[in-house]
Amino acid sequence: MLLLVGSSGGHLAQLLALRPWYQTWRRCWVTFDTPEALSLLAGEEVVPAYHPTTRHLPNLLRNAVLAARVLRRRRVAAVVTTGAGVALPFVVLARLRHIPTVYIEVYDRIDTPTLTARLCRPFLSAMLVQWEEQRRQYPEATVVGTLL
């Protein structure tokens, strides 16, 4: 199973743009239970994450417990994320369980890395970027081109 993790809004939109790649995989989504996200993911398996996540320690801890539960109950082959804050506990705990972790840096952060990418980076199996310029921050990254 592929675990796709991302905040709602633009992060989710960028994961949805990968549909041709993941459409044959069994998958589960972790995102916020906003009306937009639930509408976009109608018919998909969705695990609602706690929000807000930006500098909100209680929800970081709640999402860590959620990540532990999701990773324990499902046979996850890989975690793929575009961030933001909800990604951190899933990436860290997946890596500790030897599950491959892939981070795709968002397309609108060309000159500076996102906080979530900086925090997740030590736990990643692969770092993907959408612009060649983003490799200044992530020299090890693979450029995949823009998703949107």
Side-chain angles (χ1 to χ4, degrees):
M1 167 182 284
L2 187 61
L3 190 63
L4 298 153
V5 180
S7 301
S8 56
H11 294 278
L12 179 60
Q14 290 178 69
L15 285 173
L16 285 166
L18 295 170
R19 187 180 310 267
W21 172 74
Y22 64 69
Q23 67 187 359
T24 60
W25 280 76
R26 189 167 160 258
R27 61 196 169 271
C28 177
W29 296 82
V30 177
T31 191
F32 306 143
D33 60 352
T34 64
E36 177 192 23
L38 296 177
S39 172
L40 290 169
L41 295 172
E44 297 279 338
E45 181 181 358
V46 178
V47 174
Y50 297 92
H51 61 94
T53 57
T54 306
R55 294 168 180 79
H56 194 281
L57 189 57
N59 282 345
L60 174 65
L61 297 174
R62 287 182 188 105
N63 284 327
V65 170
L66 178 66
R69 188 172 59 240
V70 167
L71 293 168
R72 186 178 60 249
R73 292 182 179 169
R74 290 171 174 78
R75 295 183 58 103
V76 176
V79 173
V80 177
T81 184
T82 53
V86 67
L88 182 62
F90 285 88
V91 167
V92 171
L93 293 175
R95 187 60 179 211
L96 292 174
R97 296 176 63 95
H98 306 287
I99 297 170
T101 54
V102 179
Y103 192 97
I104 306 168
E105 181 65 293
V106 292
Y107 73 92
D108 58 344
R109 290 297 292 269
I110 297 171
D111 297 324
T112 58
T114 59
L115 175 60
T116 306
R118 291 193 323 251
L119 294 172
C120 288
R121 196 172 182 186
F123 304 96
L124 297 176
S125 304
M127 177 67 158
L128 308 179
V129 294
Q130 299 183 51
W131 302 99
E132 183 64 40
E133 294 84 353
Q134 290 173 311
R135 292 193 68 236
R136 286 188 296 246
Q137 285 78 245
Y138 313 107
E140 77 285 4
T142 301
V143 179
V144 295
T146 58
L147 300 179
L148 296 177

